[in-house]
Amino acid sequence: MTNPLAVLQSPARYVQGRGATDHLGQELAQVGITGPVLILSSAAPLRILSRTWSETLGKANIEFSVETFSGECSPDEIDRVTAAGKAANVTAIIGVGGGKVLDTSRAVADALGVAAVNCPTVASSDAPCSALSVLYQDDDEFLEYRFYKSNPQLVLVDSSVIARAPTRLLVSGIGDALATWWEADTVRRSASENQLHGQPTKTGTALAHLCYQLLKENATAAVAASNLNVVTPALENIIEANTLLSGLGFESGGLAAAHSVHNGLTTQSKTRDFLHGEKVSFGLVTQFVLEDRSTQDFDEILSLATAVGLPVTLAQVGLKKPTAGQIHHIAERTVAPGETIHHEPFKVSATDVADSIWAADAIGREWLMSRENSH
Ligand SMILES: [Zn+2]
């Protein structure tokens, strides 16, 4: 049965800016974390940030230990870090790195029943603020959403660290964020459940809309800043859109077809070299076909996506000459029971999805061709 109550959930505190890591100690104290804490970090941020951690946590009198991430968010890795956290009697787990590190650190915090703190070093997806992890099988095929009891206690985003990350990751985050408003809008229109199994609040839906506004106004300038590894107001706006607004927007606003098409695409090994937000971008074009959106809507997202280099065709997500069988397989996975595509305001079959994928691909190719010719 659908929950009639409207629900909104968020991290307890969100902090963003140049050099934010310098403030980690006082920010932990601000949310009542006194330590000891365990930092789970991937290797690169460990090299860049470990001296800053010693200074800021030292000043706040917070004891800490560090574990280097093994590279995979696997049950073994979760068990290993959980054991380390238990031995050190920690009161919080601080994940520092990309999506997999943060997912692992939140799973560990959940297992230990302690506070989760996320310090994303890339703005590549909307996961850091949410209370759920996306689990993949070892071969990168989508497995399931794992839900936690609460959102992180603190999300701290150091913009100077994000500016130094590869631009492709920021662009992928823009792809994930680009779908947020359109999926939330669908959930609102169909009165479906958000990702918290409640009705979306006006607030959740409005945050998704603000996310889209910021993308329209800042995406290309932010990509230029990222290419130069510099922090500008446009980059700050896109970090906020990709991380905070898309995070709150998808969770409290809800998901629809675009993310299900993404999940369908992950069944194909050829899409594995492509990032989450890149596949979501093509998923959004497919959602637009399904929803029979206006030419104006199509033009708006196609121009935004292609301006920053996001995929709008099958070939751009690794499927150069897909067979009808492959597309059908993707479509079947897209409409699996429990998928968010069933939040669309009409019934969707695998045949509907397969046809929409072919049509989306043709629209995307035509768009790219018309751009080329106009240059
Ligand atoms: Zn996503």
Side-chain angles (χ1 to χ4, degrees), residues 14 39-42 45 53 69 71-73 77-78 81 93-110 115-135 146 148 150 152 154-157 162 243:
Y14 177 87
I39 299 177
L40 176 66
S41 174
S42 38
W53 294 333
F69 183 55
E72 199 45 73
C73 176
E77 177 66 353
I78 293 170
V81 185
I93 306 287
I94 304 174
V96 184
K100 283 184 179 182
V101 187
L102 303 188
D103 278 351
T104 308
S105 70
R106 281 185 300 168
V108 172
D110 192 62
V117 174
N118 280 348
C119 302
T121 55
V122 292
S124 62
S125 87
D126 50 24
C129 287
S130 75
L132 64 84
S133 294
V134 184
L135 267 66
R146 182 184 285 187
Y148 303 118
S150 58
L154 171 68
V155 177
L156 182 137
V157 193
I162 306 268
T243 314

Side-chain angles (χ1 to χ4, degrees), residues 126 176 259 276:
D126 50 24
D176 204 14
H259 269 77
H276 174 79

Side-chain angles (χ1 to χ4, degrees), residues 33-39 62-65 67 80-93 108-109 112-115:
I33 295 170
T34 51
V37 299
L38 187 149
I39 299 177
I62 295 173
E63 255 179 71
F64 75 102
S65 50
E67 290 288 331
R80 180 184 76 81
V81 185
T82 303
K86 202 174 218 167
N89 209 9
V90 298
T91 57
I93 306 287
V108 172
L112 291 171
V114 300

Side-chain angles (χ1 to χ4, degrees), residues 301-335:
I301 59 144
L302 287 169
S303 61
L304 211 160
T306 53
V308 295
L310 281 166
V312 294
T313 68
L314 286 168
Q316 289 178 317
V317 289
L319 299 171
K320 286 215 170 65
K321 282 204 170 92
T323 63
Q326 278 177 303
I327 298 300
H328 190 73
H329 188 65
I330 292 169
E332 293 258 289
R333 179 64 191 80
T334 301
V335 298

